[in-house]
Amino acid sequence: MRIKKLTKKQRRGEDAFNEHQRLVILEKDRRCFLLNIAAILFNMKERQWYKDILGDEDAKWSAYLSQVELMFSRHHVKYLIGIYHYFILQREISIDEVANYPFSRLTDIIKFANSDEKVDMMLEVALVATPQDWRDTVKEVQGKTTSEDCEHLFADIKICEHCGKKVKN
């Protein structure tokens, strides 16, 4: 059996595809790591173990997070714990499954979906929607006008080339 030699263009396409696949796998792994970190942080906060680590019963959560070894912002930790608490603890979805979704979309679901049906619908859409489709989905759940339903009213805007200030015409 003869092995066909790939052209330079075919090899480039194959290399690009392989690198893309590596990136997809690494991104999912990163999300899994972050969700595992969120689980630990959730326990550290809920059980107040951070006070034991800091050796101070009056220690603040922010003091624990700002240790040089951690350096987590409170905002980022709240974001991660919110996703972990809602999807993994409350809805009992596995870390591996939750890691398939962009975290920003999961946060939108937590904020705007007020029923199990809406959560399920938004989870389905979150995996396949373009950014505009996702914005429309969120607006639809909120009961707002989507880009498809809008009677667009456009405004001309001037932007200063020096400082970036914007002014409507």
Side-chain angles (χ1 to χ4, degrees), residues 69 78 114-115 141 164 168:
E69 307 89 49
K78 184 178 178 184
N114 54 13
S115 70
V141 167
K168 286 186 181 180

Side-chain angles (χ1 to χ4, degrees), residues 5 15 23 30 44 73 76 79 105 112 153:
K5 214 172 186 184
D15 289 346
L23 188 59
R30 184 186 74 85
M44 293 298 279
S73 74
H76 189 62
Y79 173 81
R105 292 186 178 187
F112 302 116
L153 178 62

Side-chain angles (χ1 to χ4, degrees), residues 4-20:
K4 185 178 173 187
K5 214 172 186 184
L6 297 177
T7 67
K8 195 173 189 178
K9 189 174 183 177
Q10 289 171 323
R11 194 173 40 249
R12 177 182 163 90
E14 190 170 304
D15 289 346
F17 178 77
N18 290 336
E19 284 300 287
H20 174 73

